[in-house]
Amino acid sequence: MDFQVWDLPGQIDYLDPSFDADSIFGGVGAMIWVLDAQDSYMEAIGRLTETILHLQQSYMEIKYSVFIHKTDSLTDDFRQDTVQDILQRIQDDLYDAGLENPPISFYPTSIYDHSIFEAFSKVIQGLVPQLPTFEALLNTILATCRFEKVYLFDVLSKIYIASDTTPVNLAAYELCSDFIDVIVDLSEVYGWD
């Protein structure tokens, strides 16, 4: 899988007909849109809706993910209300424009915990066509070795490509991520050999 990250700044109008959209969006499997939960997000929601509606005409295979970022400093109730408000506004805007059941997912994220890695993991999993096979193999390992949870990690990014089908426990994921950090740090001291 070819994984590339493109940051499209707001001052570039990639929806302009003179812009070569195919050079950017032609091979895209997923688009991640980051919304700041602590800022006024109405303009960003409008831009996201416009982008999805524009891209769905030519690039129907793109899956969209919205990272509702900086939710960590909000109270639990306000966090849930903010996430629900964003989700509802986007879905309503898309529905009003005639797009029913768009391929869009929502993830509250923060840089102060592992939620950002969890969200990226879910995006990547949506792009892996062999995911059911990986899950079946990891279920076999889980049952045979009597593990609590099994992940298939990309070590450098700490994104998990697949896991067994038991529910993800964020605390266990964070523990595995921290353990990977320790292994990488030790390997830098002692080498991979």
Side-chain angles (χ1 to χ4, degrees):
M1 175 182 299
D2 182 23
F3 183 71
Q4 296 180 13
V5 176
W6 287 45
D7 183 11
L8 300 174
Q11 68 269 21
I12 295 177
D13 187 11
Y14 50 84
L15 300 180
D16 186 302
S18 64
F19 195 79
D20 185 12
D22 199 46
S23 65
I24 294 177
F25 302 110
V28 171
M31 175 182 278
I32 298 170
W33 195 276
V34 181
L35 288 176
D36 187 339
Q38 297 178 4
D39 201 3
S40 175
Y41 46 77
M42 296 307 295
E43 184 179 330
I45 287 174
R47 184 106 165 122
L48 169 61
T49 302
E50 181 184 1
T51 300
I52 292 173
L53 292 171
H54 179 77
L55 293 178
Q56 278 292 295
Q57 296 171 12
S58 302
Y59 310 102
M60 292 179 287
E61 68 282 353
I62 295 178
K63 297 174 183 168
Y64 302 92
S65 295
V66 178
F67 287 10
I68 305 168
H69 199 55
K70 298 182 184 174
T71 57
D72 52 306
S73 64
L74 304 175
T75 63
D76 287 340
D77 289 340
F78 191 60
R79 179 183 310 127
Q80 288 179 331
D81 290 345
T82 301
V83 169
Q84 185 60 37
D85 182 50
I86 291 170
L87 184 146
Q88 194 64 50
R89 287 179 187 274
I90 293 170
Q91 288 180 336
D92 287 349
D93 287 355
L94 292 172
Y95 183 81
D96 291 346
L99 187 59
E100 295 183 36
N101 300 320
I104 188 167
S105 302
F106 299 88
Y107 304 99
T109 60
S110 170
I111 60 168
Y112 298 111
D113 61 21
H114 290 80
S115 62
I116 192 80
F117 297 112
E118 168 77 11
F120 269 113
S121 296
K122 295 295 183 186
V123 170
I124 295 298
Q125 289 171 25
L127 300 174
V128 176
Q130 301 86 357
L131 185 63
T133 304
F134 287 148
E135 288 176 340
L137 290 170
L138 295 174
N139 281 337
T140 302
I141 292 171
L142 180 87
T144 304
C145 299
R146 298 184 186 143
F147 291 151
E148 279 185 42
K149 186 75 181 158
V150 181
Y151 294 99
L152 176 61
F153 272 95
D154 174 64
V155 173
L156 296 179
S157 68
K158 293 191 286 187
I159 293 173
Y160 67 95
I161 310 303
S163 70
D164 62 82
T165 54
T166 62
V168 173
N169 177 348
L170 194 55
Y173 172 69
E174 289 176 358
L175 183 65
C176 290
S177 260
D178 292 342
F179 186 69
I180 287 172
D181 283 337
V182 170
I183 297 296
V184 169
D185 290 346
L186 286 173
S187 70
E188 289 175 3
V189 172
Y190 296 106
W192 286 102
D193 295 334

